[in-house]
Amino acid sequence: MRLRSASRPSGRGIPLWVYLSALVLVPTIGVVALTAFLVRSALTEAATATSAEAAVLAVAQLDAARSGVEHEIIPVLSIGVLRDPGAVALTGLPSFLVQAQLADAERALAQAQQVTDAALVAVPAGSVGAEVAERAAAQLAGVRTGASGPQPDLFVTYTQYLAVSDLLMAAQRDAAAAADGDDVSVATDHATHDVELIARLARTASRAIPLFLSTQTTISGNGAALDWRAAWRSYTDARDQMTELAQPALVAAWDDVRTSDALTAVDDVLAAQADDATAAPIPILQVAALVSRNTDRDAALTGLLQTAVGSAQAAAAADHEAADDRRDKILLAALGVLLSATLGAALTGRSISRSLGVLAGQADQVSRGELVEVEGGGPREVRTVSTALGSAVASLRRIQAQSAAVADGDLSSPVLEQPLPGPLGEVVHASVQQIVESVRERERLQFALTHQATHDPLTGLSNRAQARVLVNSALHRAQRAGAMTGLLFVDLDGFKAVNDGFGHAHGDAVLQEVARRLLATVRSGDVVCRLGGDEFVVLVEQVEGERDLVELAERIVAVSARPIDVGADQVWIGASVGVAVARDAGTDADVLFAEADAAAYRAKGHGRGRAEVFDEALRAELSARAELEAAITAALRNGEMQLHYQPVLDVASSRLTGYEALIRWNRPGHGMVPPDSFIPTAEATRLICELDRWVLHEATRQLAQWRAEDPAAADRTLAVNISGRHLAEAGVVDDVLDALAASGFPAELLIVEVTETVLVDDPAAIGNLAVLRSHGVSIAIDDFGTGFTSIGQLRSMPVDTLKIDRSFIASAEAGNRELVALIIRAAHTFGLTVVAEGVEEVDQLELLRADACDLVQGYLLSRPLPAAAVSAFRDGAHAPVA
Ligand code: C2E
Ligand code: CA
Ligand code: CA
């Protein structure tokens, strides 16, 4: 089976891998985008952490710078006062002490300037405070130059220093605010908030002292007192806010600073001054001590600030690291996701496309009619499809098996009973069942036909053809086994009388009863067959001896002789049985049949109702007959046959009316053989037909020739004898017409002579005669009186002439004389012409003339003459009619 190529899998359509790739690619792009976003935010966080770190550092540097600037103020003011002789005089200090104080102040200034410069330089370039630090450094340079002049205005110097400090403070606040961004961790947030708190405390702490000191000197105006008290409140607010510190380490460190001597000493002095608006200025020595303590306090606060900055930087660095870490993790996770997605997709795709590929290959094979084993693998859907394909293939296999069983004719195969699934399966199964049913029906029919062809429908026995087959195979078996085979030929006696007397229905009933009796009489294993008519045979295998067969034959004779009830009637028939035995390998079925037949024929000849065994005498008879048949065939071929013509004369006028053609065999070594010696033998076979044909052609040819030679012969008839057997054959009409056509002899002058029995027995022969008559040929009944025809039957017969048998003519009995006269009268009544045969004596002729017989034929007038002699007769050489 090969399906149309259109249904073959084609290369069209989008391949599976494209779908799978798209399936992988879309989420991959999503993962990449998400990763990019996450990495970006991690990078932003890292950048934020970095800038927070820088800002925190800037806070510390700016604070250091601011602290340095503010620490410069006191030494500068001290130096200004100590260099002013009026002011020195006011203090009342001795000159050496003043000099020592001045040296201290100068040293402290140099130290503070160094710290300030270092701090300003350290502010990281590009950080929040870098630009401010640069500006502050420039302003500070101007302030320092002004302060170190010969007559500096201390108030202006002081105010300028404070301006620089304000600048740095503002920058410090900005830096702290920048550090305290949104995108930082809680820890960093807390740490920067702590830095802010401490930076603010340090700022307010260091600002309060110079403002306070300015109230103690002549350099300040009225606003100075208000300024320092505001600064003091800022400081105490900032100190109170220190409770907000988040980091426990800083809380502990702040506790140490808060309770330190430096802080408490400075705060106590300033608190006392702030609470009492009318307090007197503190003495100069106490101022010096305050300044010294303030320096310690600032150092402690700076230390605290540094600790906080360090902690904040660490937190920011941790944030940075965490961000970097997260970025790495995100990248790693994304890479992992991508890799596993790709790998998973590749594996899944491979599994799907491989299983689909296998399935597609199997489906392709199936579509080409190869019913391969379908193996399912891969995902559930593919398995489902392959299971479905598998069951489809199983169905196809079953269909194939059923078709094969039907094709092989194995209709009993259980495979044909197996149902097929689904509506299609039902249809196919139904079709197969129908085919099986019709094949069975055909087999039944064939069996019936075979049975019909091999069996006799009336008795159910094997027919002639089958009998021949059975005898043949029995002979083959016997030949192999070295056994004898017997055949009994059963010919019923008196059956024809029953048929004629009681009708065909009775005849059939008799035959059926005979068949039953035969079957009841034979041994099991013997076969009874009906050859046709009233002839049966019994085949006996494994014959022990001839005696057994004779006994069986006698039993058959006995059972056949018993009366048979047919309806209300009782009939008696009998059987003549011929027995033949095949003793050697040389016997064939035809020979055995012929031998049994010959024996039965002799049994009939010996008085009927008896059995005869085929013996040597019969064998000799049979072989003589066979030899004769061969000789006749050769004679026809060799031109040994001749025709003699016996004249037929009109009784009244003595005129020659025609001839009867009679065959002669000029057999070498035998002389002239009369027809009675070979016609019966020829009639036993189809040889007679050949003889008749030859006679028809030769006689018509001869007569046509005579007619041509002698105008007086123009109306002379030709009588030809045709055998009953030949007349029964379909070809007889053509044989006659062919001869007429070949010779040109007119049909109206031809007379076909047939015997009585033909006209009584054979409907086919009667039909052929009627056809011949319709062509103008006349029909004569030969040897009338020897058969059973009654004169009354003549009326309905297709005949024109009646030939009275010569036994009646030759007879001297008075009864026969009367009979001849009666026949002639009756024949004339029915319009028939009467010919008397065998007229040998003048008396006979006279009587016939007296009886008004039409034509005569006999030795008295002329013997049958060879053709050459006929012309002499024609010329008037025949015996005169009296
Ligand atoms: P049949 O048809 O009755 O022929 C007449 C027979 O009587 C012939 O014998 C003939 O010679 C003989 N016959 C004629 N006149 C007399 C007579 O006055 N006295 C006596 N005793 N006999 C006479 P034949 O020729 O020996 O023929 C014998 C039979 O052979 C024929 O009887 C016919 O039945 C058959 N026969 C002869 N020729 C043919 C033939 O060509 N075809 C066929 N189918 N049968 C033929
Ligand atoms: Ca005749
Ligand atoms: Ca005759």
Side-chain angles (χ1 to χ4, degrees), residues 568-618:
D569 304 308
Q570 208 174 37
V571 301
W572 281 265
I573 56 162
S576 299
V577 181
V579 177
V581 187
R583 291 187 168 78
D584 51 36
T587 316
D588 79 358
D590 287 339
V591 170
L592 197 62
F593 269 100
E595 290 180 356
D597 187 11
Y601 187 76
R602 193 168 65 179
K604 263 201 176 351
H606 285 183
R608 309 183 166 198
R610 51 181 291 144
E612 285 276 345
V613 179
F614 182 82
D615 54 15
E616 285 314 311
L618 271 176

Short mmCIF file of all heavy atoms in Angstrom, two decimals, residues 568-618:
data_model
loop_
_atom_site.label_atom_id
_atom_site.label_comp_id
_atom_site.label_asym_id
_atom_site.label_seq_id
_atom_site.Cartn_x
_atom_site.Cartn_y
_atom_site.Cartn_z
N ALA A 568 -49.96 -46.31 -5.54
CA ALA A 568 -50.91 -47.41 -5.33
C ALA A 568 -50.50 -48.63 -6.14
O ALA A 568 -51.04 -49.71 -5.94
CB ALA A 568 -52.31 -46.95 -5.73
N ASP A 569 -49.55 -48.45 -7.06
CA ASP A 569 -49.18 -49.54 -7.96
C ASP A 569 -47.99 -50.32 -7.44
O ASP A 569 -47.23 -49.84 -6.60
CB ASP A 569 -48.83 -48.98 -9.34
CG ASP A 569 -49.97 -48.15 -9.91
OD1 ASP A 569 -51.10 -48.67 -9.93
OD2 ASP A 569 -49.72 -46.98 -10.30
N GLN A 570 -47.87 -51.51 -8.00
CA GLN A 570 -46.71 -52.34 -7.67
C GLN A 570 -46.09 -52.75 -9.00
O GLN A 570 -46.81 -53.20 -9.90
CB GLN A 570 -47.16 -53.57 -6.88
CG GLN A 570 -46.08 -54.07 -5.96
CD GLN A 570 -46.60 -55.19 -5.07
OE1 GLN A 570 -47.41 -56.04 -5.50
NE2 GLN A 570 -46.13 -55.22 -3.84
N VAL A 571 -44.79 -52.54 -9.14
CA VAL A 571 -44.15 -52.89 -10.42
C VAL A 571 -43.05 -53.90 -10.17
O VAL A 571 -42.48 -53.99 -9.10
CB VAL A 571 -43.60 -51.64 -11.14
CG1 VAL A 571 -44.70 -50.64 -11.42
CG2 VAL A 571 -42.47 -51.01 -10.35
N TRP A 572 -42.78 -54.67 -11.27
CA TRP A 572 -41.71 -55.67 -11.21
C TRP A 572 -40.68 -55.31 -12.26
O TRP A 572 -41.01 -55.09 -13.41
CB TRP A 572 -42.24 -57.06 -11.49
CG TRP A 572 -42.93 -57.68 -10.31
CD1 TRP A 572 -42.37 -58.53 -9.40
CD2 TRP A 572 -44.29 -57.55 -9.95
NE1 TRP A 572 -43.28 -58.92 -8.47
CE2 TRP A 572 -44.49 -58.33 -8.77
CE3 TRP A 572 -45.38 -56.83 -10.46
CZ2 TRP A 572 -45.72 -58.42 -8.13
CZ3 TRP A 572 -46.60 -56.94 -9.81
CH2 TRP A 572 -46.76 -57.71 -8.66
N ILE A 573 -39.45 -55.21 -11.83
CA ILE A 573 -38.37 -55.08 -12.79
C ILE A 573 -37.33 -56.12 -12.42
O ILE A 573 -37.57 -56.96 -11.56
CB ILE A 573 -37.73 -53.66 -12.79
CG1 ILE A 573 -37.24 -53.31 -11.38
CG2 ILE A 573 -38.72 -52.61 -13.31
CD1 ILE A 573 -36.25 -52.19 -11.37
N GLY A 574 -36.17 -56.02 -13.03
CA GLY A 574 -35.09 -56.93 -12.67
C GLY A 574 -33.79 -56.26 -13.01
O GLY A 574 -33.76 -55.08 -13.37
N ALA A 575 -32.66 -56.99 -12.83
CA ALA A 575 -31.36 -56.41 -13.15
C ALA A 575 -30.46 -57.46 -13.78
O ALA A 575 -30.44 -58.61 -13.35
CB ALA A 575 -30.71 -55.85 -11.90
N SER A 576 -29.76 -57.03 -14.84
CA SER A 576 -28.69 -57.85 -15.41
C SER A 576 -27.39 -57.21 -14.98
O SER A 576 -27.19 -56.02 -15.18
CB SER A 576 -28.79 -57.85 -16.94
OG SER A 576 -30.04 -58.41 -17.33
N VAL A 577 -26.55 -58.03 -14.33
CA VAL A 577 -25.33 -57.45 -13.74
C VAL A 577 -24.10 -58.04 -14.40
O VAL A 577 -23.98 -59.26 -14.54
CB VAL A 577 -25.28 -57.70 -12.22
CG1 VAL A 577 -24.03 -57.07 -11.61
CG2 VAL A 577 -26.52 -57.16 -11.54
N GLY A 578 -23.18 -57.15 -14.82
CA GLY A 578 -21.90 -57.58 -15.36
C GLY A 578 -20.80 -57.30 -14.35
O GLY A 578 -20.78 -56.24 -13.74
N VAL A 579 -19.91 -58.31 -14.17
CA VAL A 579 -18.84 -58.16 -13.18
C VAL A 579 -17.50 -58.10 -13.90
O VAL A 579 -17.21 -58.94 -14.75
CB VAL A 579 -18.84 -59.36 -12.21
CG1 VAL A 579 -17.68 -59.24 -11.21
CG2 VAL A 579 -20.16 -59.45 -11.47
N ALA A 580 -16.69 -57.09 -13.53
CA ALA A 580 -15.33 -57.01 -14.09
C ALA A 580 -14.34 -56.79 -12.96
O ALA A 580 -14.65 -56.10 -11.99
CB ALA A 580 -15.24 -55.89 -15.11
N VAL A 581 -13.15 -57.34 -13.09
CA VAL A 581 -12.13 -57.20 -12.04
C VAL A 581 -10.84 -56.69 -12.66
O VAL A 581 -10.41 -57.19 -13.70
CB VAL A 581 -11.85 -58.56 -11.36
CG1 VAL A 581 -10.92 -58.35 -10.17
CG2 VAL A 581 -13.13 -59.22 -10.92
N ALA A 582 -10.27 -55.66 -11.99
CA ALA A 582 -8.95 -55.19 -12.43
C ALA A 582 -7.92 -55.91 -11.57
O ALA A 582 -7.83 -55.66 -10.37
CB ALA A 582 -8.85 -53.68 -12.26
N ARG A 583 -7.15 -56.79 -12.21
CA ARG A 583 -6.19 -57.58 -11.42
C ARG A 583 -4.79 -57.00 -11.50
O ARG A 583 -3.99 -57.17 -10.61
CB ARG A 583 -6.15 -59.01 -11.95
CG ARG A 583 -7.44 -59.78 -11.66
CD ARG A 583 -7.27 -61.25 -12.05
NE ARG A 583 -8.38 -62.03 -11.53
CZ ARG A 583 -9.59 -62.07 -12.08
NH1 ARG A 583 -9.84 -61.36 -13.17
NH2 ARG A 583 -10.54 -62.80 -11.56
N ASP A 584 -4.52 -56.31 -12.62
CA ASP A 584 -3.14 -55.82 -12.77
C ASP A 584 -3.13 -54.30 -12.97
O ASP A 584 -4.16 -53.66 -13.11
CB ASP A 584 -2.45 -56.55 -13.93
CG ASP A 584 -3.30 -56.51 -15.18
OD1 ASP A 584 -3.97 -55.46 -15.40
OD2 ASP A 584 -3.32 -57.51 -15.92
N ALA A 585 -1.94 -53.80 -13.03
CA ALA A 585 -1.76 -52.36 -13.08
C ALA A 585 -2.19 -51.78 -14.43
O ALA A 585 -2.46 -50.60 -14.55
CB ALA A 585 -0.29 -52.00 -12.82
N GLY A 586 -2.28 -52.64 -15.44
CA GLY A 586 -2.52 -52.14 -16.79
C GLY A 586 -3.95 -51.67 -17.05
O GLY A 586 -4.21 -50.96 -18.01
N THR A 587 -4.89 -52.05 -16.20
CA THR A 587 -6.29 -51.75 -16.47
C THR A 587 -6.60 -50.28 -16.21
O THR A 587 -6.26 -49.78 -15.14
CB THR A 587 -7.18 -52.61 -15.56
OG1 THR A 587 -6.67 -53.94 -15.54
CG2 THR A 587 -8.61 -52.61 -16.05
N ASP A 588 -7.24 -49.65 -17.19
CA ASP A 588 -7.67 -48.27 -16.88
C ASP A 588 -9.19 -48.24 -16.76
O ASP A 588 -9.88 -49.23 -17.03
CB ASP A 588 -7.12 -47.26 -17.89
CG ASP A 588 -7.88 -47.24 -19.21
OD1 ASP A 588 -8.82 -48.03 -19.35
OD2 ASP A 588 -7.52 -46.41 -20.07
N ALA A 589 -9.71 -47.10 -16.29
CA ALA A 589 -11.13 -46.99 -15.95
C ALA A 589 -12.01 -47.34 -17.14
O ALA A 589 -12.99 -48.09 -17.00
CB ALA A 589 -11.43 -45.59 -15.44
N ASP A 590 -11.65 -46.81 -18.32
CA ASP A 590 -12.49 -47.05 -19.51
C ASP A 590 -12.57 -48.55 -19.82
O ASP A 590 -13.63 -49.07 -20.17
CB ASP A 590 -11.92 -46.30 -20.72
CG ASP A 590 -12.17 -44.81 -20.58
OD1 ASP A 590 -13.09 -44.44 -19.82
OD2 ASP A 590 -11.43 -44.02 -21.22
N VAL A 591 -11.43 -49.22 -19.70
CA VAL A 591 -11.39 -50.65 -19.98
C VAL A 591 -12.29 -51.40 -19.00
O VAL A 591 -13.10 -52.25 -19.39
CB VAL A 591 -9.93 -51.17 -19.91
CG1 VAL A 591 -9.91 -52.69 -19.96
CG2 VAL A 591 -9.11 -50.57 -21.04
N LEU A 592 -12.16 -51.02 -17.70
CA LEU A 592 -12.95 -51.71 -16.68
C LEU A 592 -14.45 -51.50 -16.92
O LEU A 592 -15.25 -52.44 -16.81
CB LEU A 592 -12.54 -51.19 -15.29
CG LEU A 592 -12.97 -52.09 -14.12
CD1 LEU A 592 -12.32 -53.46 -14.23
CD2 LEU A 592 -12.60 -51.45 -12.79
N PHE A 593 -14.82 -50.26 -17.27
CA PHE A 593 -16.23 -49.97 -17.59
C PHE A 593 -16.69 -50.82 -18.78
O PHE A 593 -17.78 -51.41 -18.76
CB PHE A 593 -16.41 -48.48 -17.93
CG PHE A 593 -16.74 -47.63 -16.75
CD1 PHE A 593 -15.77 -46.88 -16.11
CD2 PHE A 593 -18.04 -47.59 -16.26
CE1 PHE A 593 -16.08 -46.10 -15.02
CE2 PHE A 593 -18.35 -46.81 -15.16
CZ PHE A 593 -17.37 -46.06 -14.53
N ALA A 594 -15.86 -50.84 -19.84
CA ALA A 594 -16.23 -51.58 -21.05
C ALA A 594 -16.40 -53.07 -20.74
O ALA A 594 -17.33 -53.72 -21.24
CB ALA A 594 -15.16 -51.37 -22.12
N GLU A 595 -15.51 -53.60 -19.88
CA GLU A 595 -15.58 -55.03 -19.54
C GLU A 595 -16.86 -55.34 -18.76
O GLU A 595 -17.57 -56.31 -19.06
CB GLU A 595 -14.35 -55.42 -18.71
CG GLU A 595 -13.07 -55.42 -19.57
CD GLU A 595 -11.83 -55.82 -18.77
OE1 GLU A 595 -11.97 -56.03 -17.54
OE2 GLU A 595 -10.77 -55.92 -19.38
N ALA A 596 -17.16 -54.48 -17.75
CA ALA A 596 -18.37 -54.71 -16.96
C ALA A 596 -19.61 -54.58 -17.84
O ALA A 596 -20.57 -55.36 -17.71
CB ALA A 596 -18.41 -53.71 -15.79
N ASP A 597 -19.55 -53.58 -18.73
CA ASP A 597 -20.66 -53.35 -19.65
C ASP A 597 -20.87 -54.58 -20.55
O ASP A 597 -22.00 -55.06 -20.74
CB ASP A 597 -20.33 -52.11 -20.50
CG ASP A 597 -21.51 -51.69 -21.38
OD1 ASP A 597 -22.61 -52.23 -21.17
OD2 ASP A 597 -21.31 -50.83 -22.25
N ALA A 598 -19.77 -55.07 -21.09
CA ALA A 598 -19.85 -56.23 -21.98
C ALA A 598 -20.45 -57.44 -21.25
O ALA A 598 -21.29 -58.18 -21.79
CB ALA A 598 -18.46 -56.56 -22.52
N ALA A 599 -20.03 -57.61 -19.97
CA ALA A 599 -20.54 -58.73 -19.18
C ALA A 599 -22.04 -58.57 -18.94
O ALA A 599 -22.81 -59.54 -19.05
CB ALA A 599 -19.79 -58.81 -17.85
N ALA A 600 -22.47 -57.32 -18.63
CA ALA A 600 -23.90 -57.06 -18.40
C ALA A 600 -24.68 -57.31 -19.69
O ALA A 600 -25.79 -57.87 -19.66
CB ALA A 600 -24.10 -55.63 -17.92
N TYR A 601 -24.08 -56.92 -20.80
CA TYR A 601 -24.73 -57.11 -22.10
C TYR A 601 -24.96 -58.60 -22.37
O TYR A 601 -26.00 -59.03 -22.83
CB TYR A 601 -23.84 -56.49 -23.19
CG TYR A 601 -24.46 -56.48 -24.55
CD1 TYR A 601 -25.46 -55.54 -24.87
CD2 TYR A 601 -24.05 -57.38 -25.53
CE1 TYR A 601 -26.03 -55.53 -26.13
CE2 TYR A 601 -24.63 -57.37 -26.79
CZ TYR A 601 -25.61 -56.43 -27.09
OH TYR A 601 -26.18 -56.43 -28.33
N ARG A 602 -23.95 -59.37 -22.00
CA ARG A 602 -24.10 -60.82 -22.20
C ARG A 602 -25.15 -61.40 -21.24
O ARG A 602 -25.91 -62.30 -21.60
CB ARG A 602 -22.76 -61.54 -21.99
CG ARG A 602 -22.84 -62.98 -22.49
CD ARG A 602 -21.50 -63.63 -22.58
NE ARG A 602 -20.90 -63.78 -21.27
CZ ARG A 602 -19.69 -64.35 -21.08
NH1 ARG A 602 -18.99 -64.75 -22.13
NH2 ARG A 602 -19.21 -64.47 -19.89
N ALA A 603 -25.18 -60.83 -19.99
CA ALA A 603 -26.19 -61.30 -19.04
C ALA A 603 -27.58 -61.05 -19.60
O ALA A 603 -28.47 -61.89 -19.50
CB ALA A 603 -26.02 -60.56 -17.70
N LYS A 604 -27.75 -59.88 -20.22
CA LYS A 604 -29.03 -59.58 -20.87
C LYS A 604 -29.30 -60.59 -21.99
O LYS A 604 -30.40 -61.12 -22.11
CB LYS A 604 -28.98 -58.17 -21.44
CG LYS A 604 -29.60 -57.12 -20.53
CD LYS A 604 -29.97 -55.90 -21.34
CE LYS A 604 -30.69 -54.82 -20.57
NZ LYS A 604 -31.14 -55.06 -19.25
N GLY A 605 -28.23 -60.83 -22.78
CA GLY A 605 -28.37 -61.75 -23.90
C GLY A 605 -28.70 -63.16 -23.44
O GLY A 605 -29.36 -63.91 -24.15
N HIS A 606 -28.22 -63.50 -22.24
CA HIS A 606 -28.45 -64.86 -21.73
C HIS A 606 -29.74 -64.96 -20.94
O HIS A 606 -29.87 -65.82 -20.07
CB HIS A 606 -27.26 -65.31 -20.87
CG HIS A 606 -26.06 -65.67 -21.70
ND1 HIS A 606 -24.88 -66.16 -21.18
CD2 HIS A 606 -25.85 -65.61 -23.05
CE1 HIS A 606 -24.01 -66.36 -22.14
NE2 HIS A 606 -24.58 -66.03 -23.30
N GLY A 607 -30.65 -64.01 -21.13
CA GLY A 607 -31.98 -64.18 -20.54
C GLY A 607 -32.32 -63.23 -19.42
O GLY A 607 -33.35 -63.40 -18.76
N ARG A 608 -31.50 -62.23 -19.13
CA ARG A 608 -31.80 -61.19 -18.12
C ARG A 608 -31.90 -61.78 -16.71
O ARG A 608 -31.92 -62.98 -16.53
CB ARG A 608 -33.10 -60.46 -18.45
CG ARG A 608 -33.12 -59.96 -19.89
CD ARG A 608 -34.34 -59.18 -20.23
NE ARG A 608 -34.08 -58.49 -21.51
CZ ARG A 608 -34.77 -57.46 -21.95
NH1 ARG A 608 -35.78 -57.01 -21.24
NH2 ARG A 608 -34.46 -56.91 -23.08
N GLY A 609 -31.96 -60.84 -15.71
CA GLY A 609 -32.14 -61.24 -14.32
C GLY A 609 -31.02 -62.13 -13.83
O GLY A 609 -31.24 -63.10 -13.10
N ARG A 610 -29.80 -61.90 -14.27
CA ARG A 610 -28.68 -62.76 -13.87
C ARG A 610 -27.38 -61.97 -13.90
O ARG A 610 -27.33 -60.83 -14.38
CB ARG A 610 -28.59 -63.95 -14.80
CG ARG A 610 -28.57 -63.56 -16.27
CD ARG A 610 -28.51 -64.75 -17.19
NE ARG A 610 -27.22 -65.41 -17.07
CZ ARG A 610 -27.05 -66.73 -17.15
NH1 ARG A 610 -28.10 -67.52 -17.30
NH2 ARG A 610 -25.84 -67.26 -17.08
N ALA A 611 -26.33 -62.57 -13.35
CA ALA A 611 -25.02 -61.93 -13.33
C ALA A 611 -24.07 -62.70 -14.22
O ALA A 611 -24.14 -63.92 -14.29
CB ALA A 611 -24.47 -61.89 -11.90
N GLU A 612 -23.21 -61.97 -14.92
CA GLU A 612 -22.19 -62.60 -15.75
C GLU A 612 -20.85 -61.96 -15.42
O GLU A 612 -20.77 -60.76 -15.16
CB GLU A 612 -22.49 -62.36 -17.24
CG GLU A 612 -23.63 -63.21 -17.78
CD GLU A 612 -23.20 -64.61 -18.21
OE1 GLU A 612 -21.97 -64.85 -18.35
OE2 GLU A 612 -24.09 -65.46 -18.38
N VAL A 613 -19.81 -62.79 -15.48
CA VAL A 613 -18.47 -62.26 -15.21
C VAL A 613 -17.76 -62.07 -16.54
O VAL A 613 -17.86 -62.91 -17.43
CB VAL A 613 -17.67 -63.23 -14.32
CG1 VAL A 613 -16.26 -62.67 -14.08
CG2 VAL A 613 -18.38 -63.45 -12.99
N PHE A 614 -17.08 -60.94 -16.62
CA PHE A 614 -16.30 -60.71 -17.84
C PHE A 614 -15.18 -61.75 -17.88
O PHE A 614 -14.37 -61.86 -16.97
CB PHE A 614 -15.69 -59.30 -17.81
CG PHE A 614 -14.91 -58.97 -19.04
CD1 PHE A 614 -15.55 -58.54 -20.19
CD2 PHE A 614 -13.53 -59.12 -19.07
CE1 PHE A 614 -14.84 -58.24 -21.34
CE2 PHE A 614 -12.82 -58.84 -20.22
CZ PHE A 614 -13.46 -58.38 -21.35
N ASP A 615 -15.15 -62.55 -19.02
CA ASP A 615 -14.16 -63.62 -19.09
C ASP A 615 -13.35 -63.51 -20.37
O ASP A 615 -13.48 -62.53 -21.11
CB ASP A 615 -14.84 -64.99 -18.97
CG ASP A 615 -15.95 -65.14 -20.01
OD1 ASP A 615 -15.96 -64.32 -20.98
OD2 ASP A 615 -16.81 -66.03 -19.85
N GLU A 616 -12.61 -64.57 -20.64
CA GLU A 616 -11.71 -64.52 -21.79
C GLU A 616 -12.48 -64.42 -23.10
O GLU A 616 -12.05 -63.72 -24.03
CB GLU A 616 -10.78 -65.74 -21.80
CG GLU A 616 -9.67 -65.65 -20.74
CD GLU A 616 -8.99 -64.28 -20.74
OE1 GLU A 616 -8.59 -63.78 -21.83
OE2 GLU A 616 -8.88 -63.67 -19.64
N ALA A 617 -13.61 -65.11 -23.18
CA ALA A 617 -14.42 -65.07 -24.39
C ALA A 617 -14.87 -63.64 -24.68
O ALA A 617 -14.76 -63.13 -25.79
CB ALA A 617 -15.63 -65.98 -24.23
N LEU A 618 -15.33 -62.99 -23.62
CA LEU A 618 -15.77 -61.60 -23.77
C LEU A 618 -14.61 -60.69 -24.14
O LEU A 618 -14.73 -59.78 -24.94
CB LEU A 618 -16.42 -61.12 -22.47
CG LEU A 618 -17.92 -61.39 -22.36
CD1 LEU A 618 -18.43 -60.96 -20.99
CD2 LEU A 618 -18.68 -60.64 -23.45
#
